[in-house]
Every structure is written in structure tokens, then in C-alpha cells.
Amino acid sequence: MKQPELAIIIPVYNEAENLLRLQQVFEAYFPLAKIPSKVLFVDDGSKDNSLQMIRDICNANPLFTYISFEKNCGLSAAIKAGFDCADTKWVGYIDADLQTTPEDFNILADYCNEYDLVTGVRTGRKDSFVKNASSKIANGIRRSFTHDGMDDTGCPLKIIKADKAKAIPMFNGLHRFLPAMILLQKGKIMQIPVRAFPRVAGKSNFHLWNRLAGPLSDCFAYLWMKRKYINYTIAEKKL
């Protein structure tokens, strides 16, 4: 078995209904992965049986690993903790609801050596009109502030160079600004069409209010961070 070079972060909050399917889908994907991969679950203080199921999955297969929070901290904290704990060259991100498929990491993988972040753009989304419309509005608001050129930063399918991901500062709303934060590091980003599927189990933790109000307020935080962001390149060293 090749040493994993991509740690795929899966934030989990009350996703017990999806975890066995996740295990099966990834066990089928691992032998086909263009980049040798493993999973890093981040349990975000789940109140159902998610954490025990994660323990069982990880005990059964060393390609599944996990960390768990003491209490619920939110999606951005879970993603950032995954970045910080990963020990691979690249980090990936996918949601536990499997509305995108790990098979499409192979599509993104073709661009990983050239770009610092490669993100999916969901095609043929099976979500409700309200969800699709609010997502489109939120992406438009974000683009007007960040000028990142990305059409779907909410797409839960990304690969990022780990050193760039670890350098992203921690803040609520982080998950909406990953491409923009890579651009602040003078990194290169790319978006690629990927497939989208309906949620078949569990319950979404997002609604109309936090899809629209959250992104708008976070944009102002991003502008402040952009003005204050420290970027440097070491020309020489002797340590």
C-alpha cells in the first residue's frame, strides 16, 4: 500500500445515517485514486452516534483516521483543524452527505501539480429552487468582494496544497473563502466541473439565513483581513 499523499477531510456533525455509506464509497475509491489517499474525519461535537461509528470505521481500516472536538465549533473550525492535523502533501475536502463523489477527486488531481487549490463547480445540482437561488446570490456577493473568479466556492470538493492550507488564518466563514485565501498567498487556483447529487440521508445544517446573511457579514471580515494580511518570501536562511 502506497503512503497516502492526500488527506481528505470530512467534517461530521450528526451524520450517523451517512457514515456506513461513506465507508463503503471510500473503500471502493481508495484503490482507484490517482493520488494515494486517506480520510480524516473531524467530528464536530456530534450528539448522535457519529463519533462511535467513526471510531469503529477507523479501527477497521487504517486509511480512515479521525479527530473529535470537545464541543460543536462549526464547519470552518472543523475544516481548519483538519488542515492543521493533516500530515500529507495535499489536503482534500468533501462533505459527509456525499452530494459530491470522491471519484471526482481524480478529475481535480490532474491539476494539483500546477495549481495550489483546485475546486469543483457543481453541475446539474439536485437541490431545491430556494437553495440553488440562495447559493447563487451568496456566490455573487462573495465574488464582488474577493474578485476570486470562482463560481461555486460552496462546492464540497477541493484539493489544496497542504502548506498553503495550513497558512490560512482561522476565522468563522473560512469555508466560503478558501480560494480567496490562497490568492492572498499569491497562489494559483482553478475550478473544474464535477457532478452533484441529492442528499439521501441526514439533515442539512444550513438554511436560507446562514446562506445569505453569513456570507455578507464574512465578506467585510475578509476585506479587513486582506488589508492586514502579512505575506513574505524567505530569500535565504541558515537554521
Side-chain angles (χ1 to χ4, degrees), residues 8 15 42 73 76 82 84 102 159 167 172 181 200 232:
I8 300 171
E15 293 283 4
V42 182
C73 297
S76 293
D84 291 344
I159 299 179
N172 285 328
M181 297 308 298
V200 298
Y232 62 85

Side-chain angles (χ1 to χ4, degrees), residues 1-209:
M1 183 173 62
K2 292 183 178 179
Q3 184 70 19
E5 298 179 5
L6 170 65
I8 300 171
I9 296 157
I10 306 181
V12 175
Y13 181 66
N14 296 341
E15 293 283 4
E17 295 178 50
N18 281 311
L19 287 173
L20 289 180
R21 188 164 68 101
L22 263 170
Q23 179 184 12
Q24 294 167 356
V25 167
F26 270 94
E27 285 180 340
Y29 167 70
F30 288 143
L32 307 175
K34 289 183 178 179
I35 303 175
S37 303
K38 66 179 179 179
V39 161
L40 173 55
F41 289 115
V42 182
D43 181 72
D44 185 19
S46 293
K47 294 178 173 59
D48 62 2
N49 195 39
S50 291
L51 180 56
Q52 185 54 53
M53 294 182 70
I54 287 170
R55 292 188 188 112
D56 293 340
I57 291 169
C58 294
N59 286 336
N61 188 330
L63 290 179
F64 292 94
T65 61
Y66 79 96
I67 59 174
S68 64
F69 285 169
E70 189 175 53
K71 61 180 182 180
N72 178 250
C73 297
L75 178 59
S76 293
I79 292 173
K80 178 59 174 168
F83 290 167
D84 291 344
C85 292
D87 59 357
T88 50
K89 181 177 180 180
W90 288 285
V91 291
Y93 163 52
I94 192 171
D95 278 347
D97 59 18
L98 287 177
Q99 289 194 259
T100 51
T101 173
E103 292 176 6
D104 286 352
F105 279 118
N106 282 343
I107 300 174
L108 307 188
D110 290 336
Y111 301 87
C112 282
N113 287 317
E114 186 177 353
Y115 293 91
D116 299 291
L117 175 146
V118 188
T119 183
V121 179
R122 290 166 288 187
T123 59
R125 292 181 65 177
K126 309 299 191 298
D127 297 319
S128 67
F129 171 80
V130 171
K131 186 174 180 180
N132 283 335
S134 60
S135 177
K136 188 173 182 178
I137 293 169
N139 274 299
I141 293 171
R142 188 212 69 259
R143 271 196 311 273
S144 68
F145 278 79
T146 64
H147 305 289
D148 60 13
M150 298 288 104
D151 297 315
D152 186 16
T153 61
C155 178
L157 198 79
K158 294 176 172 64
I159 299 179
I160 313 173
K161 288 183 179 176
D163 58 342
K164 296 287 188 183
K166 292 175 186 293
I168 295 174
M170 176 68 172
F171 62 97
N172 285 328
L174 161 73
H175 58 283
R176 302 183 184 100
F177 293 89
L178 294 174
M181 297 308 298
I182 298 301
L183 288 178
L184 285 185
Q185 299 179 52
K186 311 301 182 186
K188 295 173 63 181
I189 62 177
M190 167 65 76
Q191 58 182 1
I192 304 293
V194 296
R195 292 169 288 176
F197 304 90
R199 175 185 272 270
V200 298
K203 182 179 178 182
S204 174
N205 297 306
F206 290 91
H207 46 74
L208 181 61
W209 176 253

